Structure formats: C-alpha cells, structure tokens
Amino acid sequence: MSHDLVALVRQQPDAAAVLDGMVAMGERLEIRAHIGAIHVHDEAGRLVVSIETPMFVRVPGEVERLLGVQVHVPTWWVNVRAAADPPDAERVARKFADDLVRWQGGTVWSA
C-alpha cells in the first residue's frame, strides 16, 4: 500500500533542490519531471516517490478542515506519495518531506 505525506511549508518550496541535495548526500535516486509532479526512481528504475506540484493555500482554516491540523496561512501544500512496492520508498518519502520542512519551515502531516 502506498503511504501519503503532506509537507506544509512557509516558503515556496523548491522540491528539485531538495532532491538534488539528497542525491548529493548519497541517495541513489533518479529524478524525472512530469507535468504536475516529480517522480523519483531507484537504481532499478522503479518508481519510489511521487511529489506533486506545490499548492498555495491562502484560506484560513482550510488545512485544519482537510487534515485536522492548525497551521498559519498562507502556506504551501506539497503532496508526497511513497510507492507501495520498493522497500525503501517510505523512508525516501519521509526524508524528502523532513528535509523540505527543515529548509523551508513548516510541518509534515502523515496519514
């Protein structure tokens, strides 16, 4: 089963820069840009993580209504989905979301 995370960040996120940093720090990943998402593949070419284009949330209470958590708005919403199959997918998705929040400020929500 896939695993979903949402990174809620204060600054406009640069997912590609965070992924480039992960690769520079030794993660063996291949990044492929798609319309509306970035797909992250492992060395075997299997899809590991899908990161959707960030959405800007301006409406007070909208994040709380959808996720049940309070955040200051405006905020950026980034959907991160770990694939079900590769054993390392959830770890890579969590690392990406945590790194994004570390650099941009915010919080990670997990289903």
Side-chain angles (χ1 to χ4, degrees), residues 10 12 21-22 24 28 55 66 68 81:
R10 293 184 196 119
Q12 185 172 4
M22 290 172 64
R28 297 177 182 266
M55 295 177 289
L66 294 168
R81 174 167 287 151

Side-chain angles (χ1 to χ4, degrees), residues 15-16 19-20 23 29-42 45-53 79-83 92 96:
L19 289 166
D20 288 346
V23 169
L29 304 170
E30 180 183 331
I31 291 82
R32 300 179 190 168
H34 291 269
I35 295 173
I38 295 173
H39 291 173
V40 181
H41 296 261
D42 64 12
R46 296 177 298 185
L47 177 64
V48 177
V49 176
S50 179
I51 303 159
E52 293 180 16
T53 301
N79 285 318
V80 182
R81 174 167 287 151
V92 172
F96 168 80

